[in-house]
Coordinates of all heavy atoms in Angstrom, one line a residue:
L190 N -121.9 -44.9 -83.9 CA -120.6 -45.4 -84.2 C -120.0 -44.8 -85.5 O -118.8 -44.5 -85.5 CB -120.6 -46.9 -84.4 CG -120.6 -47.8 -83.1 CD1 -120.8 -49.3 -83.5 CD2 -119.4 -47.6 -82.3
A191 N -120.8 -44.5 -86.5 CA -120.3 -43.9 -87.7 C -119.8 -42.5 -87.3 O -118.7 -42.1 -87.8 CB -121.5 -43.8 -88.7
C192 N -120.5 -41.7 -86.5 CA -120.0 -40.4 -86.1 C -118.7 -40.5 -85.3 O -117.7 -39.8 -85.5 CB -121.1 -39.7 -85.2 SG -122.5 -39.2 -86.1
F193 N -118.7 -41.5 -84.3 CA -117.5 -41.6 -83.5 C -116.3 -42.0 -84.3 O -115.2 -41.6 -84.0 CB -117.8 -42.7 -82.4 CG -118.8 -42.2 -81.4 CD1 -119.5 -43.1 -80.7 CD2 -119.1 -40.9 -81.2 CE1 -120.5 -42.7 -79.7 CE2 -120.1 -40.5 -80.3 CZ -120.7 -41.4 -79.5
H194 N -116.5 -42.9 -85.3 CA -115.3 -43.3 -86.1 C -114.8 -42.2 -86.9 O -113.6 -42.1 -87.1 CB -115.7 -44.5 -87.0 CG -115.8 -45.8 -86.4 ND1 -114.6 -46.4 -85.8 CD2 -116.8 -46.7 -86.1 CE1 -114.9 -47.6 -85.3 NE2 -116.2 -47.8 -85.5
R195 N -115.7 -41.3 -87.3 CA -115.2 -40.1 -88.1 C -114.4 -39.2 -87.1 O -113.4 -38.6 -87.6 CB -116.3 -39.3 -88.7 CG -116.9 -40.0 -89.9 CD -117.9 -39.1 -90.7 NE -119.1 -38.9 -90.0 CZ -120.2 -39.6 -90.1 NH1 -120.2 -40.7 -90.9 NH2 -121.3 -39.3 -89.5
V196 N -114.7 -39.1 -85.9 CA -113.9 -38.4 -84.9 C -112.6 -39.0 -84.7 O -111.5 -38.4 -84.7 CB -114.7 -38.3 -83.5 CG1 -113.8 -37.6 -82.5 CG2 -116.0 -37.6 -83.7
M197 N -112.6 -40.3 -84.6 CA -111.3 -41.0 -84.4 C -110.4 -40.9 -85.6 O -109.2 -40.8 -85.4 CB -111.6 -42.5 -84.1 CG -112.2 -42.7 -82.7 SD -113.1 -44.3 -82.6 CE -111.8 -45.4 -83.3
D198 N -111.0 -40.9 -86.8 CA -110.1 -40.8 -88.0 C -109.5 -39.5 -88.1 O -108.5 -39.3 -88.8 CB -111.0 -41.1 -89.2 CG -111.5 -42.5 -89.3 OD1 -110.9 -43.4 -88.6 OD2 -112.4 -42.8 -90.0
A199 N -110.0 -38.5 -87.3 CA -109.5 -37.1 -87.4 C -108.3 -36.9 -86.5 O -107.7 -35.9 -86.5 CB -110.6 -36.1 -87.1
G200 N -108.0 -37.8 -85.6 CA -106.9 -37.6 -84.7 C -106.5 -38.9 -84.1 O -107.2 -40.0 -84.1
G201 N -105.2 -38.9 -83.5 CA -104.7 -40.2 -83.0 C -105.1 -40.6 -81.6 O -105.3 -41.8 -81.4
S202 N -105.3 -39.6 -80.7 CA -105.7 -40.0 -79.4 C -107.2 -40.0 -79.2 O -108.0 -39.3 -79.9 CB -105.1 -39.0 -78.4 OG -105.6 -37.7 -78.7
Y203 N -107.7 -40.8 -78.3 CA -109.1 -41.0 -78.0 C -109.4 -40.2 -76.7 O -108.9 -40.6 -75.6 CB -109.5 -42.4 -77.8 CG -109.5 -43.3 -79.0 CD1 -108.8 -42.9 -80.2 CD2 -110.1 -44.5 -79.0 CE1 -108.8 -43.7 -81.3 CE2 -110.1 -45.3 -80.1 CZ -109.4 -44.9 -81.3 OH -109.4 -45.8 -82.4
P204 N -110.2 -39.2 -76.7 CA -110.6 -38.6 -75.4 C -111.5 -39.6 -74.7 O -112.2 -40.4 -75.3 CB -111.4 -37.3 -75.9 CG -111.7 -37.5 -77.3 CD -110.7 -38.5 -77.9
P205 N -111.4 -39.6 -73.3 CA -112.1 -40.6 -72.6 C -113.6 -40.6 -72.8 O -114.3 -41.6 -72.8 CB -111.8 -40.3 -71.1 CG -111.2 -38.9 -71.1 CD -110.6 -38.7 -72.5
G206 N -114.2 -39.4 -73.0 CA -115.6 -39.3 -73.3 C -116.1 -40.0 -74.5 O -117.1 -40.6 -74.6
L207 N -115.2 -40.0 -75.5 CA -115.5 -40.7 -76.8 C -115.2 -42.2 -76.6 O -116.0 -43.0 -77.0 CB -114.6 -40.1 -77.9 CG -114.7 -40.8 -79.3 CD1 -116.1 -40.7 -79.8 CD2 -113.7 -40.3 -80.2
A208 N -114.1 -42.5 -75.9 CA -113.8 -43.9 -75.7 C -114.8 -44.7 -75.0 O -115.2 -45.8 -75.3 CB -112.4 -44.0 -75.0
W209 N -115.3 -44.1 -73.9 CA -116.3 -44.9 -73.1 C -117.6 -45.0 -73.8 O -118.3 -46.1 -73.7 CB -116.5 -44.4 -71.7 CG -117.3 -43.1 -71.4 CD1 -116.8 -41.9 -71.1 CD2 -118.7 -43.0 -71.4 NE1 -117.8 -41.0 -70.9 CE2 -119.0 -41.7 -71.0 CE3 -119.8 -43.9 -71.6 CZ2 -120.3 -41.2 -70.9 CZ3 -121.1 -43.5 -71.4 CH2 -121.3 -42.2 -71.1
R210 N -118.0 -44.0 -74.6 CA -119.3 -44.2 -75.4 C -119.1 -45.2 -76.5 O -120.1 -46.0 -76.7 CB -119.7 -42.8 -75.9 CG -120.1 -41.8 -74.8 CD -120.5 -40.5 -75.4 NE -121.1 -39.6 -74.3 CZ -120.4 -38.8 -73.5 NH1 -119.1 -38.7 -73.7 NH2 -121.0 -38.1 -72.6
M211 N -118.0 -45.2 -77.2 CA -117.8 -46.2 -78.2 C -117.7 -47.6 -77.5 O -118.4 -48.6 -78.0 CB -116.5 -46.0 -78.9 CG -116.5 -44.9 -80.0 SD -115.2 -45.1 -81.1 CE -115.5 -46.6 -81.9
G212 N -117.0 -47.7 -76.4 CA -116.9 -49.0 -75.8 C -118.2 -49.5 -75.3 O -118.5 -50.7 -75.3
L213 N -119.0 -48.5 -74.8 CA -120.4 -48.9 -74.3 C -121.2 -49.6 -75.3 O -121.9 -50.6 -75.0 CB -121.0 -47.6 -73.7 CG -122.5 -47.8 -73.3 CD1 -122.6 -48.8 -72.1 CD2 -123.1 -46.4 -72.9
I214 N -121.2 -49.1 -76.5 CA -122.0 -49.7 -77.6 C -121.5 -51.1 -77.8 O -122.4 -52.0 -77.9 CB -121.9 -48.8 -78.9 CG1 -122.5 -47.5 -78.7 CG2 -122.5 -49.6 -80.1 CD1 -122.3 -46.5 -79.9
Y215 N -120.2 -51.3 -78.0 CA -119.7 -52.7 -78.2 C -120.1 -53.6 -76.9 O -120.4 -54.7 -77.1 CB -118.2 -52.7 -78.4 CG -117.8 -52.1 -79.8 CD1 -116.9 -51.0 -79.8 CD2 -118.4 -52.6 -80.9 CE1 -116.6 -50.5 -81.0 CE2 -118.0 -52.0 -82.2 CZ -117.1 -51.0 -82.2 OH -116.8 -50.4 -83.4
H216 N -119.9 -53.0 -75.8 CA -120.2 -53.6 -74.5 C -121.6 -54.2 -74.5 O -121.9 -55.3 -74.2 CB -119.9 -52.6 -73.4 CG -120.0 -53.2 -72.0 ND1 -119.0 -52.9 -71.0 CD2 -120.8 -54.1 -71.4 CE1 -119.3 -53.6 -69.9 NE2 -120.4 -54.3 -70.1
L217 N -122.6 -53.3 -74.8 CA -124.0 -53.7 -74.7 C -124.4 -54.7 -75.9 O -125.4 -55.4 -75.7 CB -124.9 -52.4 -74.8 CG -124.7 -51.5 -73.6 CD1 -125.6 -50.2 -73.8 CD2 -125.1 -52.2 -72.3
R218 N -123.6 -54.7 -76.9 CA -123.8 -55.7 -78.0 C -123.1 -57.0 -77.6 O -123.3 -58.0 -78.4 CB -123.2 -55.1 -79.3 CG -124.1 -54.1 -79.9 CD -123.5 -53.5 -81.2 NE -124.4 -52.8 -82.0 CZ -124.2 -52.2 -83.1 NH1 -122.9 -52.1 -83.5 NH2 -125.1 -51.5 -83.8
G219 N -122.4 -57.1 -76.5 CA -121.7 -58.3 -76.2 C -120.4 -58.5 -76.8 O -119.8 -59.6 -76.6
D220 N -119.9 -57.5 -77.5 CA -118.6 -57.6 -78.1 C -117.5 -57.1 -77.2 O -117.1 -55.9 -77.3 CB -118.6 -56.9 -79.5 CG -117.4 -57.2 -80.3 OD1 -116.4 -57.7 -79.8 OD2 -117.4 -56.9 -81.5
L221 N -117.2 -57.8 -76.2 CA -116.3 -57.3 -75.1 C -114.9 -57.1 -75.6 O -114.3 -56.2 -75.0 CB -116.3 -58.3 -73.9 CG -117.7 -58.6 -73.3 CD1 -117.5 -59.5 -72.1 CD2 -118.4 -57.3 -72.8
E222 N -114.4 -57.8 -76.6 CA -113.1 -57.6 -77.1 C -113.0 -56.2 -77.6 O -112.0 -55.4 -77.3 CB -112.7 -58.6 -78.1 CG -111.3 -58.5 -78.6 CD -110.9 -59.7 -79.5 OE1 -111.6 -60.7 -79.6 OE2 -109.9 -59.5 -80.3
R223 N -113.9 -55.8 -78.5 CA -113.9 -54.4 -79.0 C -114.1 -53.4 -78.0 O -113.6 -52.3 -78.0 CB -114.9 -54.3 -80.1 CG -114.5 -54.9 -81.5 CD -115.5 -54.5 -82.6 NE -115.1 -55.0 -83.8 CZ -115.7 -54.8 -85.0 NH1 -116.8 -54.0 -85.0 NH2 -115.3 -55.2 -86.1
A224 N -115.0 -53.7 -77.0 CA -115.2 -52.8 -75.9 C -114.0 -52.5 -75.2 O -113.6 -51.3 -74.9 CB -116.3 -53.3 -75.0
V225 N -113.2 -53.5 -74.8 CA -112.0 -53.3 -74.1 C -111.0 -52.5 -74.9 O -110.3 -51.6 -74.4 CB -111.4 -54.7 -73.6 CG1 -110.0 -54.5 -73.1 CG2 -112.3 -55.3 -72.6
D226 N -110.9 -52.8 -76.2 CA -110.0 -52.1 -77.1 C -110.3 -50.6 -77.1 O -109.4 -49.8 -77.0 CB -110.1 -52.7 -78.5 CG -109.2 -52.0 -79.5 OD1 -108.0 -52.1 -79.3 OD2 -109.7 -51.3 -80.4
A227 N -111.6 -50.3 -77.1 CA -112.0 -48.9 -77.1 C -111.6 -48.2 -75.8 O -111.1 -47.1 -75.7 CB -113.5 -48.7 -77.4
Y228 N -111.9 -48.9 -74.7 CA -111.6 -48.4 -73.3 C -110.1 -48.1 -73.2 O -109.7 -47.1 -72.6 CB -112.1 -49.4 -72.2 CG -113.6 -49.6 -72.2 CD1 -114.1 -50.8 -71.8 CD2 -114.5 -48.6 -72.5 CE1 -115.5 -51.1 -71.7 CE2 -115.9 -48.8 -72.4 CZ -116.3 -50.1 -72.0 OH -117.7 -50.3 -72.0
E229 N -109.3 -49.1 -73.6 CA -107.9 -49.0 -73.4 C -107.2 -48.0 -74.3 O -106.0 -47.7 -74.1 CB -107.3 -50.4 -73.5 CG -107.7 -51.3 -72.4 CD -107.0 -52.6 -72.4 OE1 -106.3 -53.0 -73.5 OE2 -107.1 -53.4 -71.4
R230 N -107.9 -47.5 -75.4 CA -107.3 -46.5 -76.2 C -107.4 -45.1 -75.7 O -106.9 -44.2 -76.3 CB -107.9 -46.6 -77.6 CG -107.5 -47.9 -78.4 CD -108.1 -47.9 -79.8 NE -107.7 -49.0 -80.5 CZ -107.2 -49.0 -81.8 NH1 -107.1 -47.8 -82.4 NH2 -106.9 -50.1 -82.4
A231 N -108.1 -45.0 -74.6 CA -108.4 -43.6 -74.1 C -107.1 -43.1 -73.5 O -106.3 -43.8 -72.9 CB -109.5 -43.7 -73.0
E232 N -106.9 -41.8 -73.6 CA -105.8 -41.1 -73.0 C -106.3 -40.5 -71.7 O -107.0 -39.5 -71.7 CB -105.3 -40.0 -74.0 CG -104.1 -39.2 -73.4 CD -103.6 -38.2 -74.4 OE1 -104.1 -38.1 -75.5 OE2 -102.7 -37.4 -74.0
L233 N -105.9 -41.0 -70.6 CA -106.3 -40.6 -69.3 C -105.2 -39.6 -68.7 O -104.3 -40.0 -68.1 CB -106.5 -41.8 -68.3 CG -107.4 -42.9 -68.8 CD1 -107.5 -44.0 -67.8 CD2 -108.8 -42.3 -69.2
D234 N -105.5 -38.3 -69.0 CA -104.5 -37.3 -68.6 C -105.0 -36.4 -67.5 O -104.4 -35.4 -67.1 CB -104.1 -36.5 -69.8 CG -105.3 -35.8 -70.5 OD1 -106.4 -35.9 -69.9 OD2 -105.1 -35.2 -71.5
G235 N -106.2 -36.8 -66.9 CA -106.7 -36.0 -65.8 C -107.5 -34.7 -66.1 O -107.9 -34.0 -65.3
T236 N -107.6 -34.5 -67.4 CA -108.3 -33.2 -67.8 C -109.8 -33.3 -67.7 O -110.5 -32.3 -67.5 CB -108.0 -32.9 -69.3 OG1 -108.4 -34.0 -70.1 CG2 -106.5 -32.6 -69.5
N237 N -110.4 -34.5 -67.7 CA -111.8 -34.7 -67.5 C -112.0 -35.9 -66.6 O -112.2 -37.0 -67.1 CB -112.6 -34.9 -68.9 CG -114.1 -34.8 -68.7 OD1 -114.6 -35.2 -67.7 ND2 -114.7 -34.2 -69.7
R238 N -112.0 -35.7 -65.3 CA -112.1 -36.8 -64.4 C -113.5 -37.5 -64.4 O -113.5 -38.7 -64.1 CB -111.8 -36.3 -63.0 CG -110.4 -35.7 -62.8 CD -109.4 -36.8 -63.0 NE -109.2 -37.6 -61.7 CZ -108.6 -38.8 -61.7 NH1 -108.2 -39.4 -62.8 NH2 -108.4 -39.3 -60.5
A239 N -114.5 -36.8 -64.7 CA -115.8 -37.5 -64.8 C -115.9 -38.5 -65.9 O -116.3 -39.6 -65.7 CB -116.9 -36.4 -65.0
D240 N -115.4 -38.1 -67.1 CA -115.4 -39.1 -68.2 C -114.4 -40.2 -67.9 O -114.7 -41.4 -68.3 CB -115.0 -38.4 -69.5 CG -116.2 -37.7 -70.2 OD1 -117.3 -38.2 -70.0 OD2 -116.0 -36.8 -71.0
E241 N -113.3 -39.9 -67.3 CA -112.3 -41.0 -66.9 C -113.0 -41.9 -65.9 O -112.7 -43.2 -66.0 CB -111.1 -40.3 -66.3 CG -110.2 -39.6 -67.4 CD -109.0 -39.0 -66.8 OE1 -108.6 -39.3 -65.6 OE2 -108.3 -38.2 -67.5
A242 N -113.7 -41.4 -65.0 CA -114.4 -42.3 -64.0 C -115.4 -43.2 -64.7 O -115.5 -44.4 -64.4 CB -115.1 -41.5 -63.0
L243 N -116.2 -42.7 -65.6 CA -117.1 -43.5 -66.4 C -116.4 -44.6 -67.2 O -116.9 -45.7 -67.2 CB -118.0 -42.6 -67.3 CG -119.1 -41.8 -66.5 CD1 -119.5 -40.6 -67.3 CD2 -120.3 -42.7 -66.2
L244 N -115.4 -44.2 -67.8 CA -114.6 -45.2 -68.6 C -114.1 -46.3 -67.8 O -114.2 -47.5 -68.1 CB -113.5 -44.5 -69.4 CG -112.6 -45.4 -70.3 CD1 -112.3 -44.6 -71.6 CD2 -111.4 -45.9 -69.6
L245 N -113.5 -45.9 -66.6 CA -112.9 -46.9 -65.7 C -114.0 -47.8 -65.1 O -113.8 -49.0 -64.9 CB -112.1 -46.3 -64.6 CG -110.8 -45.6 -65.1 CD1 -110.2 -44.7 -64.0 CD2 -109.8 -46.7 -65.5
A246 N -115.2 -47.2 -64.8 CA -116.3 -48.0 -64.3 C -116.8 -49.1 -65.3 O -117.0 -50.2 -64.9 CB -117.4 -47.1 -63.9
W247 N -116.9 -48.6 -66.6 CA -117.3 -49.6 -67.6 C -116.3 -50.6 -67.8 O -116.6 -51.8 -68.0 CB -117.7 -48.9 -68.9 CG -119.0 -48.3 -68.8 CD1 -119.3 -46.9 -68.7 CD2 -120.3 -48.9 -68.9 NE1 -120.7 -46.8 -68.7 CE2 -121.3 -48.0 -68.8 CE3 -120.6 -50.3 -69.0 CZ2 -122.7 -48.3 -68.8 CZ3 -122.0 -50.6 -69.0 CH2 -123.0 -49.6 -68.9
R248 N -115.0 -50.2 -67.8 CA -113.9 -51.2 -67.9 C -113.9 -52.2 -66.8 O -113.7 -53.4 -67.0 CB -112.6 -50.5 -68.0 CG -111.3 -51.4 -68.1 CD -111.3 -52.1 -69.4 NE -110.2 -53.0 -69.6 CZ -110.2 -54.2 -69.2 NH1 -111.2 -54.8 -68.5 NH2 -109.1 -55.0 -69.4
A249 N -114.2 -51.8 -65.6 CA -114.3 -52.7 -64.4 C -115.4 -53.6 -64.6 O -115.3 -54.8 -64.2 CB -114.4 -51.9 -63.2
S250 N -116.5 -53.2 -65.2 CA -117.7 -54.1 -65.3 C -117.4 -55.2 -66.3 O -117.9 -56.3 -66.2 CB -118.9 -53.3 -65.8 OG -118.8 -52.8 -67.1
V251 N -116.5 -55.0 -67.3 CA -116.1 -56.0 -68.2 C -115.3 -57.1 -67.4 O -115.5 -58.3 -67.6 CB -115.2 -55.5 -69.3 CG1 -114.6 -56.6 -70.2 CG2 -116.0 -54.6 -70.2
D252 N -114.4 -56.6 -66.5 CA -113.7 -57.6 -65.6 C -114.6 -58.4 -64.8 O -114.4 -59.6 -64.6 CB -112.7 -56.8 -64.7 CG -111.6 -56.1 -65.5 OD1 -111.1 -56.7 -66.5 OD2 -111.2 -55.0 -65.1
W253 N -115.7 -57.7 -64.3 CA -116.7 -58.5 -63.5 C -117.4 -59.5 -64.3 O -117.6 -60.7 -63.9 CB -117.7 -57.5 -63.0 CG -118.7 -58.1 -62.0 CD1 -118.6 -58.2 -60.7 CD2 -120.0 -58.6 -62.4 NE1 -119.7 -58.8 -60.1 CE2 -120.6 -59.0 -61.2 CE3 -120.7 -58.8 -63.5 CZ2 -121.8 -59.6 -61.1 CZ3 -121.9 -59.4 -63.5 CH2 -122.5 -59.8 -62.3
I254 N -117.7 -59.2 -65.6 CA -118.4 -60.1 -66.5 C -117.5 -61.3 -66.7 O -118.0 -62.5 -66.7 CB -118.8 -59.5 -67.8 CG1 -119.9 -58.5 -67.6 CG2 -119.2 -60.5 -68.8 CD1 -120.2 -57.6 -68.8

Side-chain angles (χ1 to χ4, degrees):
L190 281 175
C192 292
F193 293 156
H194 279 298
R195 286 193 288 271
V196 175
M197 290 161 46
D198 291 342
S202 62
Y203 291 15
L207 176 64
W209 77 254
R210 289 179 174 90
M211 280 197 67
L213 174 61
I214 293 173
Y215 292 124
H216 189 135
L217 296 178
R218 283 178 165 174
D220 192 343
L221 298 184
E222 185 176 341
R223 282 191 176 183
V225 170
D226 180 66
Y228 296 146
E229 292 186 346
R230 288 181 180 231
E232 183 179 351
L233 306 183
D234 57 7
T236 57
N237 191 323
R238 295 295 275 163
D240 276 336
E241 290 181 8
L243 284 160
L244 183 142
L245 290 166
W247 281 107
R248 179 65 181 87
S250 69
V251 172
D252 295 326
W253 185 89
I254 291 170

